[in-house]
Amino acid sequence: MSDEMKELRMRLTNDCINCQEEGNMQMADGIKVALFEIDNLDKPYFGTDYWQGDDEDEQ
């Protein structure tokens, strides 16, 4: 894991703890998902790809 990814993971972990302490469990849950994805970037992704671009950014 690169130094930047380690820094990102540390910041997200701290933000998650702060959200839990403040009672913002919805935000904490979202951060937990992001942490899970960071930890599993080297594994195949089996989720649903909901992105449906309109191809406007490919001009």
Side-chain angles (χ1 to χ4, degrees):
M1 187 180 290
S2 71
D3 289 341
E4 290 86 3
M5 290 298 288
K6 289 177 186 176
E7 176 72 17
L8 175 61
R9 190 176 200 303
M10 182 197 67
R11 289 182 186 194
L12 287 172
T13 300
N14 289 336
D15 287 344
C16 185
I17 292 168
N18 289 335
C19 287
Q20 289 173 330
E21 289 174 351
E22 295 169 1
N24 189 348
M25 300 312 292
Q26 188 174 8
M27 181 68 74
D29 289 344
I31 294 171
K32 288 178 191 177
V33 171
L35 288 168
F36 174 84
E37 293 298 341
I38 288 171
D39 289 341
N40 291 282
L41 281 173
D42 61 335
K43 297 173 182 70
Y45 179 71
F46 295 105
T48 302
D49 184 4
Y50 290 104
W51 183 81
Q52 298 178 9
D54 56 8
D55 297 329
E56 286 185 16
D57 56 344
E58 294 183 18
Q59 295 177 0

